[in-house]
């Protein structure tokens, strides 16, 4: 439905001079907006454009009384303009009318407070930028107005105007300084910003950590002692929880595997680490084969973990033998299930050809760039195995990283079989590339599987000596040294 139809008394989005009127129907009304509240806003909209595409960056400044949630509205000058992948807001477009709604972490804007959002879009025909914006239904004219007190009875406690907070308070949209030193305490709720992963201070960060092996096989490597070592000795930021769906995994005991995953989420959280919930589809490669299981599983884990800040959802490990259109369709079915329960978590979408951005199927990232998943706050998966995948794959990642938010949720220092040669030279070249682009990663595997990708020597988990250097494999020794180097988590 067009938002324009919801506006009262024939007002249209973006008409200057309608300062202060509230929008009926609850659609645009923010909780703290009050009939007598001063309102006003300024918007700076800048674009980079090229034939057919553009990136828009939007800086919003609230000039009125503090608000706790906002909806920015505007009207494109040409029907050919379309919002694609966006960040830091939830975007809805109907015809030329667009709204961008705040997320949990950036809804609070004090007087003078500002926040930045943006999106990648496509265009045909003319590409005039929108000239006028509304914030919570009020035109952004760059000045402050106080509406007449007729739209609702004024609250006695607010009869003195202007509010004292208007001139003094700093923006409450900036979270307080971190209360702890763990990756989770510093970074808080994550979100996607442009092509990066951003922390609660809206700064781009890189998370580095380990993936479990299949939790149906290597639970003996996942306990309080081993995760203490991962958090404190390896200084990992991230634990990826690989829950296979087939191969004696989830499909054999849905409630049992769901509980096991939730338990690992809690164990990671208790140690200040992020947790990727990996729906580890592998064979069959079409994620739609597991669509009903995915909907059941993600509805459950998203509801259970909605209030946690450490959870990232990975909806399909390695799609293979399936088109990008098939993956996109799966994603656009599963993501709304997650969002319904946990609206602000980052979701990672697998890519074609075993999450190679299509390269292993003879394609590349352009199939995604030209036809992105219709959802916000998402990233795309890239996997590599350093002894098998080298410069040609690296060239694609270096290029794709400029237009897609990427997350390396799994990689090996070995061949794609999970075994064979440990290629530390190629691994180092890969990790340098990921570091330069702040691409987060998890290494396969934090286990003692009898294969060269495992970080621990075969059979050592039972002994429990996770911190003993003699327990580590060649790959584990290298990855520990890489992961434990200092993080760069900006807070201002
Ligand atoms: C491998 C394991 C191996 C197991 C096999 C089948 O290392 O022990 O027998 O899966 O379950 C992937 C997959 C990941 C693979 C890994 C190595 O995501 O499940 O693990 N790999 O082959 N993609 C590329 C490589």
């Amino acid at each position: 439905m067009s938002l324009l139809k919801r506006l009262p008394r024939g007002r249209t989005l973006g008409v200057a001079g309608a300062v202060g009127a509230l929008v009926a129907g609850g659609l645009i009304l923010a909780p703290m907006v009050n009939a007598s509240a001063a309102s006003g806003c300024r918007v700076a909209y800048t674009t980079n454009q090229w034939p057919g595409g553009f990136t828009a960056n939007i800086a919003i400044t609230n000039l009125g009384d503090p608000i706790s949630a906002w909806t920015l509205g505007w009207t494109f000058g040409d029907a050919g303009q379309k919002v694609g992948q966006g960040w830091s807001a939830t975007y809805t477009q109907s015809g030329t009318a667009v709204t961008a709604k705040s997320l949990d972490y950036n809804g609070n804007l004090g007087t003078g407070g500002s926040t930045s959002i943006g999106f990648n879009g496509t265009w045909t025909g003319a590409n005039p930028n929108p000239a006028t914006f509304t914030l919570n239904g009020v035109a952004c004219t760059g000045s402050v107005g106080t509406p007449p007190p007729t739209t609702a009875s004024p609250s006695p406690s607010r009869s003195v105007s202007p509010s004292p907070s208007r001139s003094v308070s700093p923006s409450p949209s900036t979270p307080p300084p971190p209360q702890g030193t763990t990756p989770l305490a510093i970074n808080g709720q994550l979100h996607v910003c442009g092509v990066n992963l951003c922390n609660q201070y809206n700064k781009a960060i890189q998370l580095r950590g380990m993936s479990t092996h299949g939790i149906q096989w290597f639970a003996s490597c996942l306990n309080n002692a081993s995760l203490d070592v991962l958090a404190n000795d390896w200084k990992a930021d991230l634990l990826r929880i690989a829950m296979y769906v087939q191969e004696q995994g989830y499909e054999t005991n849905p409630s049992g595997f769901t509980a096991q995953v939730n338990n690992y989420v809690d164990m990671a959280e208790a140690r200040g680490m992020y947790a990727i919930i990996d729906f580890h589809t592998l064979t069959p490669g079409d994620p739609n084969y597991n669509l009903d299981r995915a909907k059941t599983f993600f509805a459950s884990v998203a509801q259970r973990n909605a209030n946690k800040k450490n959870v990232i959802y990975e909806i399909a490990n390695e799609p293979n033998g399936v088109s990008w259109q098939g993956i996109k369709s799966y994603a656009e079915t599963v993501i709304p299930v997650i969002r319904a329960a946990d609206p602000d978590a980052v979701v990672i979408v697998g890519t074609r050809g075993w999450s190679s951005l299509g390269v292993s199927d003879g394609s590349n990232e352009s199939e995604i760039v030209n036809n992105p998943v219709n959802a916000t706050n998402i990233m795309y998966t890239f996997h590599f195995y350093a002894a098998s995948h080298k410069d040609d794959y690296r060239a694609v990642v270096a290029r794709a990283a400029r237009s897609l938010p990427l997350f390396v949720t799994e990689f090996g220092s070995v061949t794609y079989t999970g075994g064979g040669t440990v290629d530390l030279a190629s691994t180092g070249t890969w990790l340098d590339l990921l570091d330069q682009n702040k691409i987060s990663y998890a290494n396969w595997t934090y286990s003692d599987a009898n294969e060269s990708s495992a970080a621990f020597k075969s059979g050592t988990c039972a002994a429990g000596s996770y911190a003993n250097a003699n327990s580590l494999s060649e790959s584990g020794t290298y990855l520990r040294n890489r992961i434990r180097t200092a993080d760069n988590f900006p807070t201002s």
Side-chain angles (χ1 to χ4, degrees):
M1 164 173 40
S2 166
L3 278 180
L4 291 165
K5 294 189 182 126
R6 303 286 299 263
L7 293 167
R9 291 190 295 278
R11 282 181 51 214
T12 51
L13 282 171
V15 174
V19 176
L22 297 178
V23 174
L27 191 68
I28 298 187
L29 186 61
M32 281 180 62
V33 171
N34 176 302
S36 64
S39 51
C41 41
R42 183 187 318 120
V43 170
Y45 181 95
T46 54
T47 60
N48 289 318
Q49 68 186 71
W50 57 92
F54 67 106
T55 298
N57 287 298
I58 309 172
I60 306 165
T61 305
N62 175 32
L63 301 174
D65 285 341
I67 53 178
S68 62
W70 46 261
T71 297
L72 185 74
W74 73 86
T75 306
F76 280 134
D78 188 286
Q81 292 190 52
K82 299 273 185 285
V83 174
Q85 160 102 5
W87 51 93
S88 305
T90 302
Y91 296 81
T92 308
Q93 181 169 1
S94 176
T96 54
V98 182
T99 60
K101 284 178 185 290
S102 57
L103 304 176
D104 279 358
Y105 73 89
N106 66 0
N108 278 315
L109 284 183
T111 305
S114 59
T115 191
S116 293
I117 66 173
F119 62 90
N120 293 323
T122 55
W123 64 283
T124 57
N127 191 17
N129 291 339
T132 51
F133 295 83
T134 59
L135 193 70
N136 293 340
V138 175
C140 294
T141 59
S143 60
V144 185
T146 305
T150 49
T151 41
S153 34
S155 146
S157 66
R158 294 188 53 86
S159 58
V160 178
S161 180
S163 153
S165 66
R166 279 178 63 196
S167 52
V168 291
S169 72
S171 164
S173 65
T174 304
Q179 299 298 303
T181 57
T182 66
L184 179 58
I186 297 168
N187 295 301
Q189 178 62 54
L190 305 176
H191 62 279
V192 180
C193 50
V195 295
N196 288 115
L197 186 63
C198 267
N199 66 13
Q200 61 180 333
Y201 304 101
N202 209 24
K203 302 295 178 200
I205 61 161
Q206 177 196 33
L207 299 178
R208 298 171 298 152
M210 293 297 290
S211 175
T212 72
H213 203 297
I215 58 174
Q216 77 275 42
W217 297 313
F218 290 94
S220 69
C221 301
L222 301 170
N223 49 55
N224 284 324
S226 73
L227 294 180
D228 280 349
V229 169
L230 185 62
N232 302 326
D233 176 49
W234 287 54
K235 303 188 189 306
D237 312 320
L238 172 70
L239 175 72
R240 178 194 193 225
I241 304 162
M243 186 199 71
Y244 276 78
V245 185
Q246 276 72 47
E247 301 187 55
Q248 304 306 307
Y250 175 81
E251 66 178 2
T252 65
N253 181 3
S255 61
F257 278 97
T258 303
Q260 193 182 0
V261 166
N262 287 332
N263 185 38
Y264 295 144
V265 166
D266 293 351
M267 291 168 82
E269 182 189 38
R271 291 162 179 79
M273 290 189 288
Y274 290 87
I276 294 181
I277 297 182
D278 163 30
F279 195 68
H280 201 86
T281 57
L282 185 59
T283 309
D286 183 348
N288 293 294
Y289 175 84
N290 288 303
L291 183 61
D292 286 343
R293 292 182 193 92
K295 286 160 76 175
T296 302
F297 173 72
F298 282 110
S300 175
V301 292
Q303 185 192 22
R304 192 266 186 186
N305 298 303
N307 294 327
K308 294 184 185 284
K309 294 181 176 172
N310 74 318
V311 176
I312 299 169
Y313 301 98
E314 182 180 2
I315 60 176
N317 167 50
E318 289 191 352
N320 58 88
V322 58
S323 66
W324 169 242
Q325 191 58 45
I327 301 166
K328 175 174 146 79
S329 157
Y330 168 85
E332 289 173 358
T333 307
V334 175
I335 291 170
V337 172
I338 297 173
R339 296 283 192 244
D342 189 350
D344 61 355
V346 172
V347 175
I348 310 174
V349 179
T351 60
R352 187 151 76 101
W354 294 273
S355 287
S356 68
L357 296 171
V359 179
S360 292
D361 275 356
S363 182
N364 61 44
E365 83 285 4
S366 63
E367 66 184 19
I368 305 168
V369 174
N370 295 332
N371 189 19
V373 171
N374 183 17
T376 56
N377 212 25
I378 63 167
M379 307 186 86
Y380 295 94
T381 313
F382 181 78
H383 288 175
F384 67 86
Y385 278 76
S388 304
H389 308 125
K390 300 193 174 174
D391 284 344
D392 46 346
Y393 283 79
R394 284 190 279 263
V396 173
V397 170
R399 184 180 65 206
R402 297 201 290 266
S403 39
L404 293 175
L406 301 179
F407 201 125
V408 173
T409 60
E410 179 187 311
F411 75 95
S413 60
V414 300
T415 74
Y416 66 81
T417 64
T421 311
V422 180
D423 190 336
L424 296 184
S426 175
T427 303
T429 306
W430 268 113
L431 296 184
D432 291 347
L433 174 67
L434 302 188
D435 291 352
Q436 282 155 18
N437 289 282
K438 291 191 191 295
I439 297 174
S440 298
Y441 64 74
N443 174 248
W444 184 262
T445 56
Y446 198 67
S447 85
D448 66 351
N450 186 18
E451 56 189 12
S452 51
S453 55
F456 295 104
K457 290 176 187 162
S458 180
T460 57
C461 282
S465 49
Y466 308 100
N468 185 337
N470 290 327
S471 300
L472 292 175
S473 67
E474 182 184 5
S475 186
T477 302
Y478 180 84
L479 265 302
R480 173 178 170 274
N481 284 333
R482 261 326 271 224
I483 289 172
R484 73 197 306 272
T485 56
D487 287 307
N488 176 17
F489 294 147
T491 57
S492 62

